[in-house]
Amino acid sequence: MRDSNPLASNARYDYERYAKHSFVDGGTTREHRRAILRILTHYIEGGMSFPDVRLGYGQEKITSILSKLDGYMSEFGVDETVEWALSTITSYLEFHAARDMPQPEIAARLEKAIAQAAYTPKAQAGGAEEVTKAQIEEAVDFDYRRFLLTRHSVRQYTDEPLDDATIRKIVANAQECSNVCNRQTIKVYAFNDYGTVQDLLTYQAGNAGFRPEIRTLFIITANMEHMNLIGERYQGWIDGGIFAQTLALSIHAEGLGGCFLNWSVEMEQDMALRARVGIPESELVITFISAGHLKDRFNVPVSARKPVEQVLSLNPPLV
Ligand SMILES: Cc1cc2nc3c(=O)[nH]c(=O)nc-3n(C[C@H](O)[C@H](O)[C@H](O)COP(=O)(O)O)c2cc1C
């Protein structure tokens, strides 16, 4: 209920979502359990990429993964998280065997889990992979600053929406962004039907000057069911922002135009959008992004940047 202090009632609105849907008090839903498996698997995977690997690390965590997998697979079958966990433990065993530290107990338990899953894990689908400096240097051999400087918030588009394949490609590229513990908590609702896009845009105030131009719309959300610490209470916004910016750059990389459309709204507006789209209560709405094909010529704001000195504090003395 809204009270006499709207800031407090809006903060409570966010608090209640986090309290109800994160698993600060222990995980029960499939998404909670999926997130727990991913947090543990991420730990095991990460351990193989340190400069000095502590051989035999993480045994308790592996035991925990394998016992959680048992119940998870019985209830939900084999999904991408099960496959990643099994592949990572397979990779862990190969890593240790190659260093004369076989782990027979883990190997025996893994074998059982693999039999239950009826899935053949691939060591290269989890664990550590070697990359070379040369590969990276070759991949970044382009003018990144020019790429950034030619990205603008574009507020005029042709009348052709992005097709489904392009939308899929842009979202798949955005998925490559960094994210907390590889939990991949973001969801994207994408629309390219003009009537639906125009309807949804009425929920957002920042598109009034160019609404009729917009034929493709992304709505980005973050699932609070993947969060398990009090300290992670803002992680959804952080992961959501990182994903959204990567998506915006992915639009640009396709030679298309896009514009963030803020979801800086109060709870009534948020509830109205959720009801219209069917966004579950467990997801935070992060932002809208419009997208479209570029016209041959168009104007964008110059949007001059502040001097770097105003932004960067390089080696400030500690107090
Ligand atoms: C989170 C976020 C929300 C934004 N919301 C809107 C909006 O509602 N309407 C709009 O026209 N532009 C919006 N923008 C675009 C900004 O105005 C724009 O990024 C900024 O002025 C810098 O310009 P540039 O993107 O062309 O570099 C938003 C940008 C961000 C990052």
Side-chain angles (χ1 to χ4, degrees), residues 151-155 204-207 210 245 259-263 287 300-301 303 305:
R151 187 215 53 84
H152 306 281
S153 288
V154 176
R155 299 178 177 88
Q204 201 272 347
N207 66 80
F210 62 113
Q245 177 60 11
C259 185
F260 273 90
L261 298 170
N262 73 82
W263 195 240
T287 191
V300 296
S303 298
R305 293 322 199 234

Side-chain angles (χ1 to χ4, degrees), residues 1 7 17 35 63 83 109 115-116 126 140 153 189 196 215 225 228 232 241 277 291 296 298:
M1 273 311 280
L7 176 57
R17 184 181 330 285
T63 306
E83 291 178 1
R109 291 201 61 182
Q116 185 184 351
V140 300
S153 288
Y189 298 83
T196 311
R215 287 175 167 76
E225 286 180 289
N228 75 326
E232 287 179 340
V277 181
D296 288 335
F298 56 95

